């Protein structure tokens, strides 16, 4: 995800913010930039590529100044490029903004600002902010920068963590937060702002965490934090209420700070699952029980005529696709199949113009998925990408698509991306189902309501982490595992087994539970435990019978079941409970304990969780 750092104080701000950007590099980014107040004017430089490229451009200039803001960008709106890199400025290059988050109503705001005469240089949502903050200066003349920022933010839907400097009101940095982290650092005669503690710990351990709907003004001599008064924060009026907030002490080193205090990126990313789901849903759910997907508007008519859907992907993304098949058939009533991309590309697939081919890829660069996409295009399919990395090759080459907005995944084992892929696929299926008249108002509204409730339920599952760790301790002596699930939870069984094998090097097989008696049951004995997914859904009784069959053969069973299920505890050896939800959404909850179980097993075995042997994060070769 993007990174922000800013400094104001006695020292030269430029090297400090560049060091801050280097500390943020671990988050993944595609471009970097800086804006500096040198006492006379604002200087800025930005570039696609690494922080080192920015540094080498800056080395040819002898700039210095007491305040600066800087940014590493991970593209969301508009491809990675010099122009799209932050900071972004208004029409007169008088206000510079760095921003993390997503402005949902950016298209409407951009049009309105263009009608007012503003002109834009980039394709980003962030640039809107600079122009919104310019408007009060145009109409009111001399006002405080913080008031211009608050006035501008009144028009914004979506999320932001941002920092702003302006030549109209220099010697200060204004920051604000809604839905995207902002930390303020308090040094000796100096203040910092960052999106992540790792960018400030080199200078100070004293920090204040800004909460949603809070803003702050940093000057060389003081820092003022305030919340906005009135019903909706950043709305209504411009009055501010000054806050006294406690100073926290960070006792992490830089590597811990980069993982937000988690021992591994994988654990951090599992815990980011709820926000990954929130981000993929952000601005896309309609109260009337449907979905709004900007990335498919251009191909809407062709999409609605689809007679067949083929989903193609690799690994975890393929398993997300398997859940997607159920979504498309149940909600949109369109026949769907799922193919490994490595098979699809050589399988001589039957495709016609009424076929929609969906390619699911976190990285957007997986070689097999990319070649499958090219093959489908050659054969005349409408191609859609469900991709996390904006501007990646699969995103560029698909006819249309949906971005996950899950933020970069650093752990090699995919976790939060899987959650967000399920979110994107259910949104697309809901959209198709509603537009084709296959989903009723009532079902649509129920689904929308339940999707909104899901992040809180996910957090409840994550709160059981210590219990899962104990189970991992208990089961870590076993070398082989069977994972069983049925219908929506069959792909989750496959994913749970993949997670375990790839990071703990334990052998694990995922199976459709109904298939167990056709072979794998021969493996069952007291040394071959089964992880059984048994949420209360229409196939619950079936999986219960499978558990009985396993117990009859002395097999151990660790079950994932729905809260309030009293029956399962009498059968299974151990149970992890998940909250009740709609059947089709259970995978989003049931996968979490399996991710944690794999994580804790590998961590207990002392393995390199984030970089398992023989694996790469992005498989760009066939
Ligand atoms: C497993 C994992 C891989 C990827 C697969 C596809 O944890 O990460 O199986 O899911 O290599 O990668 P993407 O989604 O980038 O195409």
């Amino acid at each position: 995800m993007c990174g922000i750092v800013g400094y104001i104080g006695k020292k030269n701000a430029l090297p400090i913010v560049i060091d801050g950007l280097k500390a943020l590099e671990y988050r993944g980014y595609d471009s970097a930039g800086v804006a500096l107040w040198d006492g006379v004017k604002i200087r800025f430089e930005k570039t696609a590529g690494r922080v080192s490229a920015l540094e080498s451009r800056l080395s040819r200039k002898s700039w210095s100044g007491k305040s600066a803001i800087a940014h590493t960008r991970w593209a969301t709106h508009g491809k990675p490029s010099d122009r799209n890199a932050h900071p972004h400025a208004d029409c007169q290059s008088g206000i510079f903004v760095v921003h993390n988050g997503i402005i949902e109503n950016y298209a409407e705001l951009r049009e309105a600002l263009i009608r007012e005469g503003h002109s834009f240089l980039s394709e980003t949502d962030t640039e809107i902010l600079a122009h919104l903050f310019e408007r009060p200066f145009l109409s009111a003349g001399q006002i405080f920068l913080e008031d211009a920022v608050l006035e501008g933010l009144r028009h914004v839907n979506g999320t932001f963590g941002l920092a702003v400097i302006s030549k109209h009101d220099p010697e200060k940095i204004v920051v604000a937060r809604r839905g995207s982290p902002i930390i303020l650092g308090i040094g000796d005669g100096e203040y910092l702002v960052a999106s992540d503690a790792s960018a400030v710990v080199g200078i100070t351990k004293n920090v204040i965490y800004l909460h949603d709907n809070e803003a702050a003004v940093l000057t060389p001599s003081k820092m003022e934090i305030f919340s906005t008064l009135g019903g909706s924060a950043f709305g209504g009026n411009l009055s501010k209420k000054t806050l006294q907030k406690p100073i926290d002490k960070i006792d992490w080193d830089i590597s811990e700070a980069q993982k937000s205090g988690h021992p591994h990126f994988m654990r951090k990313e599992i815990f980011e699952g709820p926000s990954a789901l929130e981000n993929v849903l952000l601005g896309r759910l309609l109260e009337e029980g449907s979905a709004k997907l900007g990335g498919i508007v251009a191909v809407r008519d062709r999409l609605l005529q689809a007679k067949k859907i083929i989903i193609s992907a690799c690994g975890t993304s393929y398993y997300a696709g398997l859940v997607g098949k159920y979504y498309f058939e149940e909600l949109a009533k369109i026949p769907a199949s799922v193919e490994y991309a490595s098979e699809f590309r050589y399988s001589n697939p039957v495709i016609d113009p009424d076929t929609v081919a969906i390619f699911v890829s976190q990285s957007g660069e997986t070689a097999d998925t990319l070649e499958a996409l090219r093959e489908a295009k050659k054969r005349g399919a409408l191609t859609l990408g469900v991709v996390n990395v904006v501007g990646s090759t699969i995103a560029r080459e698909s006819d249309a698509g949906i971005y996950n907005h899950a933020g970069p995944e650093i752990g090699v084992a995919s976790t939060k991306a899987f959650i967000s892929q399920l979110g994107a696929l259910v949104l697309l299926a809901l959209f198709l189902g509603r537009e084709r008249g296959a989903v009723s108002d009532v079902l649509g509204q129920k689904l929308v309501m339940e999707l909104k409730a899901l992040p809180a339920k996910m957090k409840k599952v994550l709160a059981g982490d210590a219990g899962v760790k104990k189970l991992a301790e208990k089961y870590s002596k076993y070398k082989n595992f069977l994972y069983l699930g049925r219908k929506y939870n069959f792909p989750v069984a496959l994913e749970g087994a993949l997670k375990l094998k790839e990071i703990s090097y334990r052998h694990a097989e995922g199976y459709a539970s109904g298939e167990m008696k056709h072979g794998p049951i021969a493996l069952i004995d007291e040394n071959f435990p089964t992880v059984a997914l048994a949420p209360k859904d229409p196939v619950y009784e079936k999986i219960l019978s499978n558990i009985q069959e396993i117990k009859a053969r002395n097999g151990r069973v660790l079950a994932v079941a729905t809260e309030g299920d009293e029956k399962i505890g009498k059968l299974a050896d151990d149970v992890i409970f998940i909250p009740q939800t709609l059947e089709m959404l259970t995978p989003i909850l049931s996968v979490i304990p399996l991710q944690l179980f794999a994580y804790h097993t590998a961590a207990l075995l002392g393995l390199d969780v984030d970089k398992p042997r023989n694996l790469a994060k992005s498989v760009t070769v066939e």
Side-chain angles (χ1 to χ4, degrees):
M1 200 61 91
C2 308
I4 289 176
V5 60
Y7 173 90
I8 188 160
K10 299 178 283 199
K11 301 178 195 140
N12 183 6
L14 197 55
I16 293 175
V17 295
I18 294 298
D19 282 350
L21 290 185
K22 287 180 188 163
L24 292 170
E25 281 191 295
Y26 78 97
R27 297 163 67 100
Y29 67 103
D30 50 57
S31 47
V34 61
L36 169 90
W37 169 250
D38 72 358
V40 179
K41 61 192 283 199
I42 295 179
R43 314 264 191 180
F44 73 97
E45 186 62 80
K46 51 189 191 168
T47 177
R50 315 302 298 169
V51 173
S52 56
L54 177 70
E55 211 177 6
S56 98
R57 286 194 188 188
L58 290 169
S59 67
R60 295 194 282 274
K61 318 181 189 248
S62 47
W63 295 348
S64 79
K66 305 287 183 235
S67 64
I69 53 173
H71 193 260
T72 46
R73 173 174 187 254
W74 199 73
T76 57
H77 292 79
K79 61 185 180 308
S81 67
D82 286 7
R83 269 177 182 235
N84 287 338
H86 298 210
H88 289 286
D90 64 324
C91 297
Q92 310 161 58
S93 294
I95 301 167
F96 284 77
V97 184
V98 292
H99 161 234
N100 291 355
I102 295 170
I103 309 297
E104 281 172 37
N105 57 338
Y106 105 105
E108 298 93 292
L109 289 174
R110 188 179 165 110
E111 269 173 37
L113 286 161
I114 289 172
R115 277 199 301 275
E116 282 182 10
H118 292 261
S119 53
F120 288 82
L121 297 176
S122 77
E123 303 156 277
T124 63
D125 53 345
T126 300
E127 195 180 354
I128 310 289
L129 296 172
H131 293 274
L132 285 175
F133 303 158
E134 179 187 14
R135 289 170 79 242
F137 285 104
L138 295 174
S139 55
Q142 195 50 42
I143 60 166
F144 292 125
L145 178 59
E146 57 272 31
D147 291 335
V149 168
L150 291 194
E151 158 55 28
L153 290 176
R154 287 198 313 126
H155 305 277
V156 169
N157 299 335
T159 55
F160 49 80
L162 55 84
V164 190
I165 58 171
S166 170
K167 69 176 184 192
H168 307 306
D169 188 8
E171 314 287 332
K172 69 167 63 156
I173 301 176
V174 174
V175 306
R177 170 193 164 139
R178 182 164 76 202
S180 202
I182 288 285
I183 294 171
L184 305 175
I186 303 156
D188 180 14
E190 58 196 353
Y191 294 98
L192 292 106
V193 50
S195 52
D196 170 325
S198 55
V200 304
V201 284
I203 305 256
T204 178
K205 303 257 180 198
N206 296 324
V207 298
I208 290 178
Y209 294 95
L210 223 56
H211 290 158
D212 277 351
N213 304 318
E214 291 176 355
V217 178
L218 317 184
T219 70
S221 58
K222 70 176 180 15
M223 173 167 77
E224 190 193 359
I225 303 173
F226 49 88
S227 70
T228 53
L229 294 174
S232 80
F234 296 120
N237 59 52
L238 293 182
S239 43
K240 311 179 284 278
K241 180 175 162 232
T242 303
L243 299 174
Q244 299 302 327
K245 288 177 69 90
I247 298 176
D248 283 288
K249 209 156 193 89
I250 303 178
D251 48 12
W252 305 329
D253 65 19
I254 186 148
S255 117
E256 287 166 322
Q258 289 177 339
K259 294 173 194 140
S260 304
H262 293 272
H264 299 97
F265 283 111
M266 183 179 174
R267 188 172 191 276
K268 173 176 180 248
E269 286 159 7
I270 295 172
F271 276 79
E272 284 171 351
S275 62
L277 184 66
E278 274 162 4
N279 286 343
V280 74
L281 301 179
L282 191 71
R284 289 168 167 171
L285 287 176
L286 298 175
E287 292 299 328
E288 67 260 30
S290 189
K292 183 176 86 177
L293 295 162
I296 56 168
V297 170
V299 299
R300 182 180 180 279
D301 292 345
R302 226 182 128 190
L303 189 55
L304 292 182
Q305 281 155 22
K307 296 216 165 52
K308 178 170 88 172
I309 291 176
I310 300 174
I311 305 169
S312 191
C314 303
T316 292
S317 301
Y318 170 82
Y319 297 146
L322 286 178
V323 180
K325 168 190 157 69
Y326 291 113
Y327 289 154
F328 291 117
E329 297 196 332
E330 183 159 349
L331 293 172
K333 306 284 180 253
I334 304 173
S337 61
V338 194
E339 309 272 351
Y340 282 118
S342 52
E343 290 294 317
F344 176 86
R345 57 187 288 198
Y346 296 115
S347 65
N348 209 0
V350 180
I351 283 174
D352 57 35
D354 292 332
T355 305
V356 172
I358 302 175
F359 298 90
V360 185
S361 176
Q362 187 283 129
S363 62
E365 300 294 349
T366 300
D368 283 321
T369 312
L370 177 60
E371 286 310 319
L373 159 68
R374 289 175 176 159
E375 187 61 35
K377 239 179 155 174
K378 208 159 67 193
R379 289 172 184 251
L382 171 67
T383 57
L384 301 186
V386 172
V387 174
N388 193 30
V389 179
V390 173
S392 56
T393 315
I394 292 173
R396 279 187 277 115
E397 295 197 13
S398 307
D399 294 313
I402 305 170
Y403 281 122
N404 299 20
H405 298 315
E409 217 176 33
I410 295 169
V412 163
S414 191
T415 52
K416 64 175 177 171
F418 178 75
I419 305 266
S420 71
Q421 287 164 346
L422 298 187
L425 291 166
V426 79
L427 283 174
L428 181 58
L430 174 61
F431 167 79
L432 288 173
R434 288 309 304 261
E435 294 295 309
R436 291 164 61 105
V439 171
S440 67
D441 287 1
V442 175
L443 174 59
Q445 285 160 11
K446 211 163 137 190
L447 194 50
V448 166
M449 251 170 58
E450 195 51 33
L451 279 165
K452 284 187 180 163
L454 220 47
K457 294 185 181 183
M458 294 168 75
K459 286 183 191 157
K460 214 170 158 199
V461 182
L462 288 165
D465 177 49
V468 181
K469 186 175 177 196
K470 280 207 182 96
L471 291 171
E473 276 161 17
K474 179 171 169 185
Y475 283 81
S476 62
K477 63 174 189 247
Y478 297 106
K479 301 280 190 300
N480 301 287
F481 290 80
L482 184 64
Y483 280 67
L484 294 181
R486 198 161 181 152
K487 206 176 162 190
Y488 277 104
N489 281 283
F490 162 47
V492 180
L494 296 172
E495 172 60 3
L498 175 64
K499 285 288 90 83
L500 189 72
K501 69 185 127 194
E502 70 181 325
I503 58 165
S504 76
Y505 319 145
R506 294 298 199 226
H507 166 238
E509 273 197 67
Y511 243 85
S513 61
E515 274 293 295
M516 186 186 67
K517 56 186 167 299
H518 299 287
I521 197 164
L523 295 166
I524 301 297
D525 64 14
E526 64 281 9
N527 295 316
F528 202 126
T530 298
V531 178
L533 292 151
K536 269 278 170 61
D537 62 11
V539 291
Y540 170 73
E541 294 294 340
K542 308 275 173 205
I543 189 122
L544 231 53
S545 313
N546 294 127
I547 294 175
Q548 259 150 353
E549 287 157 8
I550 294 164
K551 291 308 298 171
R553 285 155 185 86
N554 291 330
R556 301 202 153 269
V557 175
L558 163 56
V560 176
T562 306
E563 279 170 2
D565 179 350
E566 285 166 11
K567 225 162 149 186
I568 196 121
K570 299 193 182 93
L571 275 179
D573 297 274
D574 298 287
V575 186
I576 301 170
F577 288 105
I578 58 170
Q580 173 78 49
T581 184
L582 295 179
E583 182 196 6
M584 64 176 63
L585 301 181
T586 51
I588 296 176
L589 297 179
S590 61
V591 76
I592 296 172
L594 305 195
Q595 293 172 343
L596 289 171
F597 184 73
Y599 166 75
H600 285 301
T601 306
L604 285 163
L605 295 171
L607 298 169
D608 190 349
V609 175
D610 287 331
K611 291 198 191 82
R613 68 186 182 201
N614 309 337
L615 288 173
K617 183 66 188 158
S618 179
V619 185
T620 53
V621 291
E622 189 177 357

